Amino acid sequence: MSVVPGIMVGMTQSTVDALHTLAREYLPQEIAERWIGLLRPGLRLEKAEGAGSAVGRLGGLPGLPEGEEWPVWEGHGPLAFVASLDCAALPSGALDIAMPTDGTLVFFYFDGQLDDGCAVVDPGEPDSWAGARVLYIPAGVPVAERTAPEDIQPYPEVPLTARVETTAPHLWHPVVYREFAPMPDDHPVWDEDFQEALGDHFGGTEHRIGGHAHPVQGEVETEVAHSALGNPPWNDPRIKEEALRWVLLAQFDSDNDADMMWGDCGALYWLIRPEDLAERRFDRAMFTWQCC
């Protein structure tokens, strides 16, 4: 494992071993090994404590190119700035998705400041999609800090550092069904003790880049797939297949330090198809959010 100040590059052996041990403790041997094969590397974003360790930040004011207008949801108003990430500083080489190796990603969301939460960004409502945006600013493009629009109160700025972690799929994710189908109701991966052990392992505030999303409710990939297909009946078999085509770009949890509360202790999620990520088509990323 190579180390850069403030960033652990390469998957830490302790993190890998913890999930391997957990699976082998609670699951039959053959099923445990197959479940371990579904684990994916992700980047966990945490509050940076030391100088020079930041790879991005929550809150504050964004740096935007001169010709880039502050994102607005037409008919509702400007979005709030959530986070920015310096792609060159992220240990993206540890991931299994084609993250940019330079430039900046900037995330915005219509957070209800202007209407007391009346308008909701919903992946099932295409007219609301403009309420969440991710912008990619290529390296070398001059930017300047932009003042927030009137009536938008910026969130407190929190610098973020990154560490590589192993992530596990939600137990009802289509990738789990694909691996273990057919799955009766008493399948070992749905054992309550195994579920509780996973919940204890993935605790605390979870801001994440890549890897498997950590949903608050159900799998976010299915929500996005349902919307991408035009909201067919939920039993449409195409939904599970479409869900396998989406990967997590970023999730931002509720965070006390940044004074961010998404609903009732919820999280924001941006997902993207791998081919769009490789082509830097962040305008094709899709958004959803969940809360308790």
Side-chain angles (χ1 to χ4, degrees), residues 40 42-43 45 85 87 90 92 95 97-100 105-107 133-136 207-213 220-221 246-252 268-274 276-278 280-287:
R40 295 179 54 214
L43 301 180
L45 303 176
L85 299 172
C87 296
L90 291 171
S92 300
L95 299 176
I97 58 175
M99 284 289 290
L105 287 172
V106 190
F107 298 85
R133 292 277 303 280
V134 52
L135 305 178
Y136 175 63
H207 309 303
R208 184 179 295 175
I209 302 297
H212 290 292
V220 294
E221 295 85 357
W246 292 84
V247 294
L248 179 70
L249 174 62
Q251 72 176 51
F252 296 105
L268 312 179
Y269 305 86
W270 277 268
L271 292 93
I272 194 168
R273 292 187 176 112
D276 292 330
L277 178 58
R280 309 296 181 246
R281 292 299 307 270
F282 292 100
D283 57 310
R284 295 178 178 173
M286 291 193 69
F287 169 86

Side-chain angles (χ1 to χ4, degrees), residues 215-218 253-254 261-267 269 289-292:
V216 179
Q217 297 286 346
D253 206 343
S254 294
M261 179 60 68
W262 313 126
D264 184 4
C265 298
Y269 305 86
W289 72 285
Q290 296 180 345
C291 68
C292 297

